[in-house]
Amino acid sequence: MHDLRLIRDNPEAFDRGLARRGVSPMAGEILELDTRRRAAQTILQELQARRNEASKEIGKAKREGRDADALMAEVAGLKDRMQETEDEERAVGATLDGYLVSLPNLPADDVPDGPDETANVELRRVGEPPRIDKALEHFDLGEKLGMMDFTAGTKLSGARFTVLRGKLARLERALGQFMLDLHVNEHGFTEVMPPFLVRDEAAFGTGQLPKFSEDLFKTNTGHWLIPTAEVPLTNLVADRILDLEDLPLRMTALTPCFRSEAGAAGKDTRGMIRQHQFWKVEMVSVTGPDQSQAEHERMTECAETVLKRLGLPFRTIVLCTGDMGFSARKTYDIEVWLPGQNMYREISSVSNCGDFQARRMKARCRPRGEKNTQFVHTLNGSGVAVGRCLIAIMENFQQPDGSIIVPEALRPYMGGLDRISLDA
């Protein structure tokens, strides 16, 4: 959500930021609505003051035995005018607020400009992609092992659902546990087990509503299935004033995530790349305004460490203005190498949202003992997507006989198993 005062103070800078996101200038229209709303509020105050004054005059006239009919008629007229003005103020305010909550966050100064993913900038590559003759994709490997069943998933739930069995099911569970242990024990995050269903207010707070409702699943109770644990974790600080000295606040969770994939028709229809339901370890940090930039780098390193420990090749890119998510002011994507596709695919996205979400959630901080508050900054990132990590392990560690080597870091979580094969 945008700060109306900043738009008043520097409308040109606001429009420049929108232009970098591919959005037409809006400052003029916003400020016109702001002027109209404030004018209506001023008129309301004046009408209310005159109504109060006239009411006192009516009382005085009656006490003195004078005719008060004219004053009473004036009060009745004032009441009608106040209702009309209130209706106008409410309508104008709703339109204004609609703009403020539906426009994307403004990009940070150092975010590269560009219309789409073709303008993203690669920052670094870690690890060498393995040389595999005739590398298979994960779905061929999984089906040959008899441990990845797309037919059963479709029979149970429709397209974009999968049933994992045996050692692959255990491998997915092991990955989630490994990532949680790493982030908690070494990276200083606190593990949280949040609800998987949230109210409108929570989905609004992180920016999913109202703009992206079609990307979510909604229950008949009015709850939303979480698309990511970012939603409940970030909203844990909603409507709170935190002590600045207690920040950053770092949380992590392993949860299922649910996405309708409304805009993904025809994309990744085979396999587990793009599912309606998947597991993900999420990282969320809440910081003071001066801490978020450093925390963004730190969180990206935390996500990269997962892939380094597993021995998976990856690259890190910074997203351009046209490829960033709605709430982000800067985003790093980490893409893991998939030999079966012969390309890098996203496995983590780490974003600094600045105070954009905090304004929606009314989440503030202040130095201990002081009165003045300021909005916190919120950050979120995958640490990492468990299903895609499973895919990456299958494809990068596939063997000529169709078996899959288990990375050493995961073997303690797999009961010492070092290879997944038909007979193991």
Side-chain angles (χ1 to χ4, degrees):
M1 186 169 183
H2 293 285
D3 183 355
L4 187 53
R5 287 176 298 180
L6 291 180
I7 301 174
R8 291 174 189 152
D9 292 342
N10 200 338
E12 294 83 6
F14 181 73
D15 280 343
R16 284 196 299 270
L18 289 182
R20 295 182 64 204
R21 294 295 301 258
V23 179
S24 300
M26 291 296 301
E29 191 167 351
I30 288 172
L31 292 178
E32 180 186 357
L33 290 167
D34 178 42
T35 299
R36 288 173 56 192
R37 182 168 68 172
R38 288 196 288 172
Q41 291 169 343
T42 299
I43 292 172
L44 271 175
Q45 292 170 358
E46 293 172 349
L47 291 172
Q48 182 64 56
R50 176 53 193 155
R51 184 184 179 188
N52 293 340
E53 182 181 1
S55 296
K56 292 179 181 178
E57 291 175 4
I58 290 171
K60 181 179 180 182
K62 287 184 176 181
R63 287 193 302 271
E64 295 176 353
R66 291 185 288 109
D67 182 13
D69 289 348
L71 287 169
M72 293 174 67
E74 181 185 1
V75 168
L78 287 169
K79 181 178 180 182
D80 291 339
R81 288 184 60 193
M82 287 177 63
Q83 184 61 57
E84 293 172 0
T85 308
E86 285 178 358
D87 291 343
E88 180 184 359
E89 191 271 341
R90 190 177 298 110
V92 172
T95 303
L96 175 58
D97 292 341
Y99 283 141
L100 295 178
V101 302
S102 64
L103 293 171
N105 200 355
L106 302 184
D109 292 340
D110 60 348
V111 171
D113 290 327
D116 52 40
E117 67 275 4
T118 59
N120 295 339
V121 177
E122 182 176 315
L123 300 177
R124 52 187 170 270
R125 293 193 182 196
V126 176
E128 288 292 327
R131 296 181 179 180
I132 303 173
D133 292 333
K134 299 179 180 179
L136 298 179
E137 293 197 54
H138 67 281
F139 43 80
D140 288 326
L141 291 163
E143 288 179 328
K144 287 184 178 181
L145 287 169
M147 300 176 192
M148 187 175 285
D149 193 337
F150 300 102
T151 301
T154 301
K155 181 179 179 180
L156 290 171
S157 306
R160 300 191 187 277
F161 289 93
T162 308
V163 173
L164 295 180
R165 294 190 174 93
K167 296 300 186 294
L168 281 187
R170 182 170 184 176
L171 182 61
E172 184 169 58
R173 175 163 55 91
L175 278 166
Q177 295 296 327
F178 161 72
M179 295 175 198
L180 277 182
D181 287 349
L182 178 63
H183 294 318
V184 171
N185 297 333
E186 298 188 33
H187 297 156
F189 288 82
T190 298
E191 183 177 353
V192 178
M193 180 58 75
F196 306 153
L197 297 169
V198 295
R199 294 176 171 175
D200 291 357
E201 294 85 354
F204 173 83
T206 45
Q208 278 74 27
L209 292 182
K211 194 174 180 66
F212 302 104
S213 60
E214 67 175 14
D215 296 327
L216 309 179
F217 287 111
K218 191 173 186 179
T219 71
N220 58 12
T221 63
H223 292 87
W224 301 89
L225 292 170
I226 61 170
T228 164
E230 169 201 347
V231 178
L233 292 184
T234 310
N235 275 279
L236 288 174
V237 300
D239 299 308
R240 292 178 57 189
I241 299 177
L242 307 173
D243 285 339
L244 181 61
E245 290 78 7
D246 294 336
L247 302 179
L249 177 65
R250 299 180 176 122
M251 298 169 282
T252 187
L254 169 63
T255 70
C257 304
F258 305 91
R259 299 184 184 177
S260 70
E261 298 294 346
K267 298 179 181 178
D268 299 306
T269 53
R270 289 201 68 189
M272 286 180 56
I273 287 286
R274 200 179 298 272
Q275 299 272 277
H276 288 313
Q277 172 189 309
F278 57 94
W279 290 88
K280 181 159 69 78
V281 171
E282 185 74 2
M283 304 177 293
V284 165
S285 287
V286 180
T287 77
D290 296 333
Q291 301 170 316
S292 65
Q293 186 172 346
E295 186 70 7
H296 193 197
E297 303 297 328
R298 181 186 187 277
M299 289 177 66
T300 304
E301 184 178 355
C302 291
E304 290 179 341
T305 300
V306 172
L307 303 183
K308 290 177 182 177
R309 296 287 178 88
L310 295 173
L312 293 171
F314 66 89
R315 68 175 186 172
T316 300
I317 62 177
V318 58
L319 299 191
C320 71
T321 53
D323 199 30
M324 288 196 305
F326 175 78
S327 296
R329 68 188 307 266
K330 185 176 182 179
T331 297
Y332 294 123
D333 268 10
I334 302 172
E335 299 179 340
V336 69
W337 176 255
L338 296 184
Q341 294 192 10
N342 194 40
M343 63 187 301
Y344 288 96
R345 295 298 301 266
E346 178 196 338
I347 195 170
S348 174
S349 189
V350 187
S351 297
N352 183 357
C353 298
D355 63 5
F356 188 80
Q357 293 177 326
R359 291 182 181 279
R360 301 168 79 99
M361 298 186 302
K362 300 179 178 61
R364 299 173 179 268
C365 66
R366 64 185 170 203
R368 195 170 292 127
E370 295 190 10
K371 292 183 178 181
N372 292 334
T373 65
Q374 52 191 331
F375 287 105
V376 299
H377 282 198
T378 60
L379 304 95
N380 64 81
S382 309
V384 295
V386 176
R388 292 196 177 190
C389 199
L390 172 75
I391 291 168
I393 288 172
M394 293 175 66
E395 294 194 10
N396 280 278
F397 297 115
Q398 61 181 288
Q399 302 301 303
D401 62 358
S403 64
I404 299 163
I405 299 296
V406 177
E408 288 188 18
L410 294 178
R411 293 175 188 176
Y413 299 89
M414 295 289 291
L417 187 72
D418 61 3
R419 181 188 295 257
I420 295 174
S421 60
L422 283 171
D423 55 356

